[in-house]
Amino acid sequence: QVQLVESGGDLVQPGGSLRLSCVASGSIFRINAMGWYRQPPGKQRELVAVIPTQGSTNYADSVKGRFTISRDNAKNTVYLQMNSLKPEDTAVYYCNALVSTVTGSTARYWGQGTQVTVSS
């Protein structure tokens, strides 16, 4: 019913930049908050950034000043601009969205994940 498709993950050198994209499609009535999570190798999944429909954005302390989350509601898309990348940013990055469907249900949906590797 709802699918999130991510793109943009890659191998990049320290100090480089990447932009991740996530497009939502399906039986969507309204997309509420959207966010990005990541899971480093051998560690638990953690919140990176979240952007609500209204209100302020929120970032993990480890990425503040380097990452920027944004959204294009007309395209049902959320972005994560990542600058000054560090090796510790290496992880699988997941898109998440709180979606109200045309059938009346509301639930969180996840993307398949995209690999970001920062290495020299």
Side-chain angles (χ1 to χ4, degrees):
Q1 56 179 319
V2 177
Q3 184 178 22
L4 306 181
V5 179
E6 300 161 330
S7 62
D10 204 352
L11 172 65
V12 64
Q13 295 183 348
S17 298
L18 286 173
R19 190 179 76 158
L20 306 183
S21 300
C22 173
V23 181
S25 62
S27 303
I28 299 171
F29 177 75
R30 177 183 295 275
I31 302 179
N32 300 294
M34 304 184 77
W36 289 94
Y37 291 72
R38 68 185 182 186
Q39 187 166 16
K43 297 184 178 181
Q44 65 182 25
R45 189 172 300 183
E46 64 181 12
L47 176 68
V48 176
V50 62
I51 181 169
T53 303
Q54 301 180 63
S56 62
T57 56
N58 183 256
Y59 298 90
D61 289 340
S62 59
V63 307
K64 285 182 178 178
R66 300 188 298 121
F67 291 11
T68 302
I69 188 171
S70 62
R71 63 192 292 173
D72 185 336
N73 292 327
K75 298 180 179 179
N76 288 337
T77 300
V78 62
Y79 304 95
L80 185 68
Q81 178 66 46
M82 305 184 294
N83 299 325
S84 301
L85 284 163
K86 305 175 181 180
E88 49 263 47
D89 294 319
T90 295
V92 178
Y93 284 71
Y94 297 91
C95 177
N96 176 266
L98 181 63
V99 180
S100 298
T101 70
V102 295
T103 61
S105 63
T106 300
R108 290 194 176 276
Y109 293 87
W110 293 89
Q112 79 287 350
T114 184
Q115 177 70 48
V116 173
T117 302
V118 185
S119 177
S120 60

